[in-house]
Amino acid sequence: MHNELPVTVLKNITLQFALEGEFIAGELFGSGHINDTYRLQFQTRAGIRRYILQRINTNIFKQPEKLMENILRITRYQLKKMKERGEEDIERKYLRFSPAKNGEYFFTDRQGNYWRVCQFIERTHTCDIVQSAEQAFLTAASFARFQKSLVDLPGRRLHETIPDFHNTDRRFSAFATAVKNDTAQRARACLREIEFAFARKAVAPVLVDLMAKKAIPERITHNDAKLNNIMIDDATNKAVCVVDLDTVMPGSSLYDFGDMARSASCTAAEDEKDLKKVEINTAMFRALASGYLSEAKDFLNSEEIGQLIFSAKLITFEQGIRFLTDYLNGDVYYKIKYPEHNIVRARNQFKLVESIEQQEKTLNTMVKKIATC
Ligand code: GN1
Ligand code: MG
């Protein structure tokens, strides 16, 4: 649940950062499930300036220093490339973090909370539900460009900010353990969902195995490639910037495609209770796959292209078991707004898995066509 901090506390935290102007307001912002995010307003001589202040959830991101090191490497590289290309409006196209007065890019308070600040990207918004096929196309093209822009990131391998984050096989084991322990005594209330998951156990190791065999290459991927992690221009509706870089680390391009598919080709929210509304919309999906391949065709291998639909099913399934696991464990991971929230989310994702299963052949034919034209 959200615990909004008093404005005076927010103001004190911001005093630790080198920010221009006077703090005038701060409020909870966005729909993230993990970190606490606030949008701040500062009065400067040139007018109002807005920032994003975040408390990194260190129960989940256990090494925030390494996480910030990754993010700074990535954003600096993005900046360098954009400058070389002579792009316009660069300041809105990457996340600009502000240093704290201690010289680091985060500040640790007395309770051990990690705080960081970046510029709010003005004249943009996010969407939790896909609005149009054009938006699906642009979102996917934008994540593909993001992956492409990091293909040649120099230097050593990025830190794994959460090890085995998209290891679906491990996620499945964690789920099986949660069922066995039944800590919150909720298993009896979700027998159908548990059965649904066990019936699909065989899909869990498929991508992990392909990666171990190197049929699918390790790349730098976003790992949370949801529609609402794209800032969209208010005036043009074009994708301006990919945000939420905490899980950018070594992974598979397919993890990102899977997250895009589950978030931008279904026209219902991730926690929609009316399951009739939860299905893959083929028009959105076609646009999404076209957008992704319009950029990613250049660097994906044929195995990756061949597994796109499977990854959509797998990552949706993984998300379902993650929500279900959290429900069984007593809601220890995701923020919830009401007690049944996690089981509602799990049912929703499982319904989407069924929808993909029902259309798998059609979707595969569609992707093949797009990939060859
Ligand atoms: C979490 O906080 P948010 O919404 O950016 C989660 C993602 C899930 C997502 C479910 C670190 O992301 O993996 O896909 O919720 N992030 C982490 O929508 O677990
Ligand atoms: Mg995230």
Side-chain angles (χ1 to χ4, degrees):
M1 315 249 175
H2 279 205
N3 288 324
E4 182 148 15
L5 286 174
V7 167
T8 45
V9 176
L10 295 179
K11 183 176 175 180
N12 280 336
I13 296 160
T14 64
L15 290 176
Q16 303 299 326
F17 289 85
L19 305 174
E20 192 197 327
E22 281 287 307
F23 175 98
I24 51 172
E27 60 190 1
L28 275 174
F29 181 74
S31 51
H33 300 65
I34 309 288
N35 294 326
D36 294 341
T37 305
Y38 294 86
R39 188 164 61 183
L40 315 174
Q41 287 188 44
F42 274 63
Q43 184 69 56
T44 72
R45 279 207 213 126
I48 301 287
R49 186 148 209 188
R50 296 193 288 181
Y51 294 94
I52 293 294
L53 169 72
Q54 277 188 313
R55 172 162 57 185
I56 302 175
N57 184 332
T58 47
N59 289 326
I60 291 172
F61 295 107
K62 304 215 186 279
Q63 295 183 297
E65 295 87 353
K66 290 192 170 165
L67 176 154
M68 284 311 294
E69 194 186 307
N70 275 1
I71 293 184
L72 291 170
R73 270 182 71 193
I74 295 157
T75 49
R76 282 174 183 156
Y77 192 57
Q78 287 176 317
L79 174 63
K80 179 174 172 275
K81 278 193 155 176
M82 285 193 288
K83 279 188 176 159
E84 280 167 9
R85 282 198 299 267
E87 274 197 32
E88 282 171 15
D89 204 14
I90 287 182
E91 300 214 323
R92 294 170 75 228
K93 292 183 178 164
Y94 77 108
L95 282 182
R96 282 185 296 147
F97 285 87
S98 304
K101 289 179 180 162
N102 61 13
E104 307 275 8
Y105 278 81
F106 54 83
F107 158 70
T108 319
D109 67 19
R110 266 192 246 148
Q111 288 80 40
N113 295 306
Y114 277 78
W115 295 93
R116 67 178 171 205
V117 174
C118 71
Q119 310 273 332
F120 174 69
I121 301 173
E122 293 296 344
R123 305 183 307 285
T124 62
H125 61 276
T126 55
C127 284
D128 287 329
I129 300 178
V130 64
Q131 306 293 310
S132 65
E134 192 200 3
Q135 190 182 64
F137 183 99
L138 294 174
T139 298
S142 184
F143 276 118
R145 269 197 306 277
F146 179 83
Q147 291 179 342
K148 195 152 74 175
S149 74
L150 296 173
V151 158
D152 52 1
L153 179 78
R156 58 182 191 288
R157 194 170 179 261
L158 289 175
H159 302 293
E160 291 186 33
T161 56
I162 302 181
D164 288 319
F165 190 58
H166 279 300
N167 184 330
T168 316
D169 207 25
R170 291 269 169 93
R171 295 285 186 190
F172 196 91
S173 305
F175 155 69
T177 307
V179 175
K180 205 163 110 219
N181 295 346
D182 197 14
T183 320
Q185 302 197 319
R186 284 170 159 178
R188 270 185 53 193
C190 41
L191 290 179
R192 274 201 11 229
E193 290 74 23
I194 293 173
E195 196 187 322
F196 181 96
F198 274 110
R200 286 157 183 80
K201 184 175 192 281
V203 300
V206 172
L207 281 193
V208 182
D209 289 350
L210 286 170
M211 283 191 83
K213 280 194 274 180
K214 307 231 185 293
I216 289 177
E218 179 180 287
R219 301 184 185 280
I220 296 174
T221 50
H222 185 280
N223 296 305
D224 190 14
K226 293 190 296 186
L227 170 69
N228 65 11
N229 279 330
I230 298 272
M231 304 306 294
I232 300 168
D233 191 281
D234 292 342
T236 64
N237 282 324
K238 298 242 152 64
V240 178
C241 183
V242 170
V243 298
D244 193 359
L245 307 181
D246 295 337
T247 50
V248 178
M249 60 180 154
S252 160
S253 57
L254 293 167
Y255 302 155
D256 286 355
F257 186 76
D259 261 331
M260 286 175 227
R262 69 175 194 86
S263 65
S265 56
C266 168
T267 53
E270 186 183 72
D271 58 357
E272 170 62 57
K273 288 182 185 160
D274 181 356
L275 297 183
K276 287 196 294 296
K277 295 185 184 159
V278 182
E279 57 183 7
I280 291 290
N281 175 313
T282 31
M284 295 296 173
F285 189 86
R286 182 180 289 111
L288 185 94
S290 307
Y292 184 63
L293 288 170
S294 70
E295 297 279 346
K297 237 174 29 176
D298 304 352
F299 64 88
L300 295 181
N301 72 20
S302 57
E303 184 69 41
E304 287 170 297
I305 295 179
Q307 296 294 346
L308 286 171
I309 302 303
F310 176 78
S311 72
K313 181 172 75 176
L314 183 76
I315 296 300
T316 310
F317 177 62
E318 179 187 286
Q319 192 61 60
I321 53 175
R322 289 179 64 194
F323 287 141
L324 183 53
T325 304
D326 199 32
Y327 186 67
L328 292 166
N329 287 342
D331 309 315
V332 292
Y333 189 93
Y334 294 107
K335 288 182 182 173
I336 51 165
K337 293 199 173 121
Y338 54 91
E340 304 304 308
H341 208 163
N342 271 318
I343 188 69
V344 164
R345 291 163 168 159
R347 285 186 189 125
N348 174 305
Q349 295 296 289
F350 285 167
K351 173 67 200 305
L352 203 51
V353 169
E354 269 177 346
S355 172
I356 301 174
E357 286 171 350
Q358 281 156 10
Q359 305 184 65
E360 208 160 347
K361 269 200 184 146
T362 325
L363 297 177
N364 260 316
T365 315
M366 187 191 283
V367 164
K368 261 189 209 144
K369 255 200 204 151
I370 298 169
T372 47
C373 70

